[in-house]
Amino acid sequence: MKLRNKPLLGYFLLGLALLSSLFLLFFSEGFAENIMVELIGAIFFILIIDQLLLKSERKQWQVVKHEIEYLLSRTLNSLRDDILINMLGFHPKTSYSNNIEETEKSIRKEKDTFLKSILEMKDEKIIDLIKENYLKSIESYDDFFLEKAEDLWRTINNKYSDQFEPEEIKLFISLNLYLRDLNHGLKTYQKSFKFTDKKEYFQQKGKRNILHNTKEIIETLIELKELGYQPTALFIEEDYE
């Protein structure tokens, strides 16, 4: 994450206005003096706000920055693994060794490669993977993705949310919506087990929704990883069985 930039544009515009008022001094001395007084007051006001209030806010943010970043990375890591393992049936080919760091690094690399390969697959292949590993047991679906969406929203919707870069906020909001829509698609697919006379309709409608939002979620997770949200929740057991 990055701290919000200081209002440099505001300083630039005020400086430009100050220079303009100096130019006006040759045409209307009293008028220019009044403008200069107001501009100087505005500059001092902005400096006070930036240096006192915003500096205090940034200092508070630095205290919790690491924890919030870790919490977000951990939430994203859990989401990645659920999609990889439960939905897509990912199983690492890495040989486990006593070197934990190297083993985990190799598995993370496999995960990245596998996720990117999903986006290059045909829709039919992706649906087959999801059907084989997840949709066959959808009767017991327990709103996992809706819960992840709510966890994510609680984390970014806090008093420090204005410290996020706009690009980050956009991706987090999009991810939140995709997760909620995926939950809706799974619920729609679930109806095919209850309304057997409309089984084909609910399955087709649900699969269309699931396919679209799963791909969007994967793309967003990849973008967030490139922004620095790495799956670094080390000491958490991962079940590939």
Side-chain angles (χ1 to χ4, degrees):
M1 300 178 194
K2 303 175 182 177
L3 290 175
R4 172 170 290 186
N5 294 327
K6 294 184 178 181
L8 298 179
L9 180 59
Y11 295 148
F12 173 76
L13 292 176
L14 283 172
L16 186 63
L18 190 59
L19 290 175
S20 300
S21 65
L22 289 173
F23 177 76
L24 289 174
L25 185 62
F26 295 100
F27 301 96
S28 178
E29 182 176 346
F31 177 70
E33 288 177 353
N34 291 334
I35 291 181
M36 289 181 66
V37 169
E38 293 184 5
L39 287 174
I40 292 172
I43 291 174
F44 275 115
F45 178 76
I46 291 179
L47 286 172
I48 291 172
I49 293 297
D50 181 55
Q51 296 301 318
L52 296 182
L53 299 182
L54 297 184
K55 183 178 180 180
S56 174
E57 183 179 320
R58 286 193 292 266
K59 185 176 180 180
Q60 292 176 23
W61 165 243
Q62 287 298 326
V63 175
V64 299
K65 178 177 182 288
H66 175 73
E67 284 71 18
I68 292 180
E69 285 181 335
Y70 176 78
L71 183 58
L72 284 168
S73 293
R74 182 169 174 167
T75 300
L76 297 177
N77 184 48
S78 175
L79 177 58
R80 283 188 191 97
D81 282 353
D82 195 77
I83 291 175
L84 281 165
I85 300 168
N86 296 327
M87 289 191 74
L88 302 172
F90 169 78
H91 291 278
K93 298 178 181 179
T94 297
S95 298
Y96 289 80
S97 67
N98 293 331
N99 191 327
I100 298 176
E101 288 76 15
E102 286 300 318
T103 300
E104 290 180 336
K105 181 179 179 180
S106 179
I107 292 176
R108 285 198 296 269
K109 186 175 181 180
E110 280 193 60
K111 289 179 180 180
D112 292 341
T113 301
F114 186 78
L115 275 180
K116 291 177 181 177
S117 71
I118 293 296
L119 298 177
E120 298 174 357
M121 290 182 184
K122 293 183 178 180
D123 290 352
E124 294 78 8
K125 176 63 175 178
I126 299 175
I127 283 295
D128 287 342
L129 282 175
I130 297 176
K131 284 174 64 178
E132 179 181 353
N133 296 288
Y134 199 72
L135 294 180
K136 63 182 180 182
S137 59
I138 196 64
E139 299 99 319
S140 59
Y141 175 69
D142 57 358
D143 291 330
F144 172 85
F145 293 107
L146 181 59
E147 292 173 2
K148 285 298 175 185
E150 292 173 349
D151 288 344
L152 183 64
W153 186 253
R154 279 194 294 269
T155 304
I156 63 173
N157 189 31
N158 60 67
K159 63 179 291 187
Y160 302 106
S161 59
D162 61 344
Q163 301 293 344
F164 292 93
E165 287 292 309
E167 183 181 2
E168 293 175 323
I169 287 292
K170 177 181 178 297
L171 288 173
F172 283 126
I173 292 176
S174 296
L175 182 58
N176 177 272
L177 294 174
Y178 295 142
L179 288 169
R180 292 179 182 278
D181 289 345
L182 177 58
N183 178 77
H184 179 72
L186 291 167
K187 289 293 187 181
T188 299
Y189 191 92
Q190 235 179 353
K191 292 180 181 179
S192 66
F193 298 105
K194 182 177 180 181
F195 303 102
T196 54
D197 58 325
K198 300 177 181 177
K199 180 177 181 179
E200 186 66 21
Y201 169 76
F202 285 122
Q203 284 192 352
Q204 291 298 322
K205 185 176 180 179
K207 284 191 292 186
R208 182 180 62 185
N209 184 309
I210 292 167
L211 177 64
H212 170 75
N213 288 292
T214 299
K215 291 170 68 175
E216 293 291 346
I217 288 170
I218 290 174
E219 288 182 350
T220 306
L221 287 173
I222 291 174
E223 289 186 67
L224 285 167
K225 183 175 183 297
E226 292 173 350
L227 287 177
Y229 290 90
Q230 305 284 346
T232 54
L234 296 178
F235 315 115
I236 296 178
E237 293 292 335
E238 295 172 325
D239 184 10
Y240 297 101
E241 301 299 328

